[in-house]
């Protein structure tokens, strides 16, 4: 009989399966743990937390390099200013996203001022740190101290493994992650009301956060006793905050802007090859960042069970959330990282120690690569928006409204000018949102009822300046009859362009006979 090789897993696997049995979650939630049980050293968090905090700050240093990273940040910044000026969410201030993050931006601007996103950048550091801590706590409970440390560190190393515009921005997915991990952690401990609250927090940050309900319900079905009471507590925790959010913003408007009003946006028709190419590129980027995680997960999947069926379901439901809408933006992929990290932590407990060293080294190298990208890469679109904002400031007074016809709402924020309409991008009015450049772009594909409102806004309070920033895109004014007629009747183009953007100044119509 031959001796076992270095990758022998059976003795460790037996212990792991026993420690990860479904009934363990219920027992552990009822029986107090000793302070220094074997494999659970005292002073664990006092040593781990400072290290995770330092790593969280380090990995997000690039986020402080630019005033803005992507149009989502610009959209949120403009929304926050509109809300502070008396606007109403889902009425005079609109977007397809849930209300939690616009409210967070508004609160941050009220406390720290509205000229910098640095407070939101710090909040994003805190969100990623909290996500890492919750992952460490979950992995430690299931697989011991070392697994907890591994999960926390791996998450922070991998969390920036996308285009910096997606990974470093203080936007929806970053603030959604702590809620998703908290939901699974609470369900693992049998805290069903808190699990429902966490799912609600994720859902109110971004709709796809609701995917975390799948592993929560799986854990409830496998471990809760009695199930009916647990299901009731979960449902109350989930539905309560969502109903409060709907009541605060108007139930019908809340439902329209977060669910029913995005049918054309979620369609796969139009620009299929472009969208699929984007999906493949972002998948390759995340796979590069996860080069240290994927091999151990695949190896253990072949030779042993990890006792983590709920985490596999979490990963599958998160993958489904990435697919929803068929846009495949890089920041969508952030939702995949927490379950991948937990699966890697589980796998690395079975494999020999040198596999852990290899995984950490590969993840650290990938992190360094993406960190350098974030610190050194230029941002040409931001430079364009800044030049455009300077031109708008030079040609308008602070109190005059303007219309920036494009997909860069950050121009309003950078220029310090109020938008003339509630629709901050051409995407809401033409369905260009998501990079559509085929037959699904035009007036009839915009949000239902948006064009009559848009025409009324521009007629009632004409913008002093209209900036056509379409630059040859399919939402150019010459392809949109309503906007084309408005420009022809009341506006004159200024001489010259700003990086291809055309500026139109308002011309008052003189009464006949004057």
């Amino acid at each position: 009989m031959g001796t076992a090789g270095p990758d022998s897993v059976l003795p460790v696997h037996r212990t792991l399966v026993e420690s990860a049995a479904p009934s363990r979650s219920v027992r552990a939630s009822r029986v107090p743990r000793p302070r220094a049980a074997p494999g659970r050293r005292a002073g664990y968090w006092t040593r781990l937390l400072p290290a995770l905090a330092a790593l969280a700050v380090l990995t997000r240093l690039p986020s402080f390099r630019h005033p803005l990273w992507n149009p989502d940040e610009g959209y949120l910044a403009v929304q926050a200013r509109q809300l502070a000026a008396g606007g109403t969410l889902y009425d005079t201030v609109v977007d397809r996203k849930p209300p939690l993050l616009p409210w967070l931006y508004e609160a941050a601007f009220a406390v720290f001022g509205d000229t910098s996103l640095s407070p939101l950048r710090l909040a994003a550091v805190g969100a990623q740190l909290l996500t890492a801590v919750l992952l460490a706590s979950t992995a430690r409970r299931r697989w011991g101290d070392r697994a907890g440390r591994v999960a926390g560190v791996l998450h922070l190393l991998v969390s920036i493994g996308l285009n910096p515009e997606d990974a470093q921005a203080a936007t929806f997915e970053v603030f959604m992650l702590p809620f998703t991990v908290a939901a699974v952690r609470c369900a693992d401990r049998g805290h069903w009301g808190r699990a429902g609250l966490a799912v609600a927090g994720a859902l109110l940050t971004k709709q796809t956060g609701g995917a975390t309900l799948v592993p929560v319900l799986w854990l409830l079905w496998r471990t809760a006793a009695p199930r009916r009471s647990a299901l009731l507590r979960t449902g109350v925790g989930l539905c309560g905050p969502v109903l409060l959010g709907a009541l605060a913003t108007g139930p019908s408007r809340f439902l329209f802007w977060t669910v029913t009003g995005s049918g054309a946006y979620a369609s796969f028709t139009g620009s299929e090859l472009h969208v699929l190419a984007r999906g493949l590129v972002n998948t390759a980027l995340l796979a590069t960042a996860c080069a240290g995680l994927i091999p151990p997960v695949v190896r253990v999947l072949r030779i042993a069970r990890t006792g983590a069926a709920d985490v596999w379901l979490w990963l599958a439901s998160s993958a489904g959330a990435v697919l929803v809408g068929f846009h495949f933006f890089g920041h969508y992929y952030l939702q995949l990282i927490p379950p991948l990290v937990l699966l890697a932590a589980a796998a690395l407990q079975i494999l020999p120690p040198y596999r852990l060293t290899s995984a950490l080294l590969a993840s650290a190298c990938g992190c360094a690569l993406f960190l350098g990208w974030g610190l050194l890469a230029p941002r040409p679109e931001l430079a364009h928006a800044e030049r455009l904002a300077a031109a708008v400031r030079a040609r308008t007074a602070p109190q005059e409204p303007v219309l920036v016809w494009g997909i860069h709402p950050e121009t309003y924020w950078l220029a310090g000018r109020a938008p003339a309409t509630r629709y901050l991008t051409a995407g809401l009015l033409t369905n260009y949102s998501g990079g559509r450049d085929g037959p699904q772009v035009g007036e009839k594909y915009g949000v239902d009822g948006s064009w009559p409102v848009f025409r009324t806004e521009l007629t009632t309070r004409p913008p002093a300046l209209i900036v056509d920033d379409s630059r040859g895109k399919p939402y150019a004014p010459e392809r949109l009859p309503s906007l084309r007629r408005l420009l022809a009747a009341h506006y004159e183009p200024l001489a010259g362009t700003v990086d291809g953007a055309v500026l139109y100044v308002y011309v008052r119509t003189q009464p006949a006979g004057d």
Side-chain angles (χ1 to χ4, degrees):
M1 181 182 297
T3 58
D7 284 355
S8 179
V9 301
L10 292 181
V12 181
H13 169 240
R14 198 173 295 117
T15 303
L16 178 61
V17 171
E18 291 171 358
S19 67
S23 60
R24 182 182 184 281
S25 296
V26 177
R27 291 199 306 270
S29 64
R30 297 175 181 172
V31 181
R33 292 185 178 276
R35 285 187 179 178
R40 296 175 65 85
R41 298 178 182 176
Y44 180 83
W45 290 109
T46 57
R47 291 190 294 270
L48 181 59
L49 279 176
L52 292 180
L55 188 56
V57 172
L58 176 64
T59 53
R60 296 200 67 82
L61 278 178
S63 69
F64 296 91
R65 182 183 169 213
H66 298 294
L68 288 151
W69 273 100
N70 64 25
D72 281 350
E73 284 187 327
Y75 205 113
L76 285 161
V78 179
Q79 277 187 303
R81 280 184 175 171
Q82 288 178 301
L83 291 171
T88 302
L89 193 58
Y90 303 136
D91 184 7
T92 58
V93 182
V94 298
D95 192 13
R96 292 186 172 103
K97 301 297 194 300
L100 204 55
L101 206 53
W103 286 340
L104 176 63
Y105 267 65
E106 181 188 8
F109 281 6
V111 174
F112 301 104
D114 64 0
T115 59
S116 172
L117 296 188
S118 292
L120 281 309
R121 304 270 195 258
L122 290 172
V125 173
Q128 287 289 24
L129 173 59
L130 180 56
T131 303
V133 169
L134 292 170
L135 284 170
S137 176
T138 303
R140 186 191 186 207
R141 171 184 168 84
R142 295 185 177 203
W143 303 298
D145 282 358
R146 189 181 76 168
R149 291 191 294 269
V150 168
V153 170
L154 283 179
H155 172 75
L156 293 172
L157 291 176
V158 175
S159 65
I160 61 170
L162 291 161
N163 188 314
E165 294 181 19
D166 297 304
Q168 296 291 345
T171 51
F172 301 94
E173 287 78 9
V174 170
F175 290 99
M176 180 182 73
L177 291 185
F179 289 113
T180 63
V181 181
V184 174
R185 180 181 181 274
C186 290
D188 187 48
R189 285 158 171 74
H191 301 156
W192 303 112
R194 297 177 192 175
L197 284 171
V199 175
L203 194 60
L204 287 171
T205 305
K206 191 180 178 188
Q207 294 92 328
T208 54
T212 317
L213 187 61
V214 173
V216 168
L217 292 178
W218 167 265
L219 286 168
L220 188 153
W221 178 259
R222 294 297 300 271
T223 66
R227 289 175 184 161
R228 183 175 298 178
S229 174
L231 186 61
L232 178 62
R233 295 198 301 274
T234 304
V236 170
L238 169 61
C239 296
V242 174
L243 288 174
L244 287 175
L247 290 172
T249 57
S252 61
R253 297 196 304 266
F254 177 88
L255 181 65
F256 177 81
W257 282 103
T258 62
V259 181
T260 63
S262 300
Y265 179 83
S267 171
F268 188 59
T269 305
S271 306
E272 291 87 350
L273 292 178
H274 173 72
V275 171
L276 287 174
R278 181 196 299 144
L280 291 173
V281 168
N282 286 320
T283 301
L285 288 174
L286 186 60
T288 301
C290 294
L293 279 62
I294 296 174
V297 171
V298 172
R299 182 172 183 81
V300 170
L301 180 63
R302 288 192 298 107
I303 61 179
R305 295 176 57 194
T306 61
D310 60 311
V311 186
W312 283 107
L313 280 173
W314 185 10
L315 179 62
S317 63
S318 298
V322 172
L323 293 173
V324 168
F326 305 105
H327 292 297
F328 306 111
F329 290 121
H331 45 87
Y332 290 9
Y333 288 72
L334 291 172
Q335 195 167 349
L336 299 173
I337 294 175
L340 273 174
V341 164
L342 276 186
L343 289 173
L348 289 168
Q349 300 315 297
I350 298 176
L351 297 172
Y354 78 87
R355 296 250 176 211
L356 173 59
T357 303
S358 299
L360 290 172
L361 181 60
S363 299
C365 290
C367 178
L369 175 67
F370 286 100
L371 188 62
W373 185 4
L375 289 171
L376 300 176
R379 290 276 291 109
E381 286 301 314
L382 174 61
H384 168 76
E386 289 175 326
R387 287 190 290 269
L388 209 54
V392 170
R393 281 196 305 271
R395 291 168 173 82
T396 58
Q399 72 277 7
E400 291 181 316
V402 299
L403 172 66
V404 179
W405 185 252
I407 57 172
H408 290 285
E410 61 267 30
T411 305
Y412 294 115
W413 184 71
L414 292 168
R417 298 294 184 265
T421 175
R422 68 195 67 190
Y423 306 111
L424 302 184
T425 69
L428 291 173
L429 290 154
T430 66
N431 195 40
Y432 186 79
S433 302
R436 304 291 190 204
D437 58 6
Q440 296 289 325
V441 175
E443 288 190 30
K444 67 178 180 178
Y445 299 108
V447 174
D448 288 344
S450 58
W451 276 94
V453 174
F454 179 64
R455 287 191 292 264
T456 299
E457 287 176 323
L458 298 192
T459 302
T460 304
R461 193 185 179 207
L465 189 73
I466 292 180
V467 179
D468 172 19
D469 195 29
S470 57
R471 292 179 285 167
K473 298 293 193 303
Y475 57 83
E478 54 266 25
R479 299 182 59 175
L480 305 169
S482 294
L483 187 56
R484 186 175 66 245
R485 285 194 294 267
L486 175 72
L487 290 173
H490 302 290
Y491 289 85
E492 289 183 354
L494 295 175
T497 64
V498 180
D499 297 340
V502 182
L503 277 60
Y504 292 85
V505 64
Y506 181 69
V507 178
R508 295 186 182 277
T509 304
Q510 296 295 324
D514 283 4

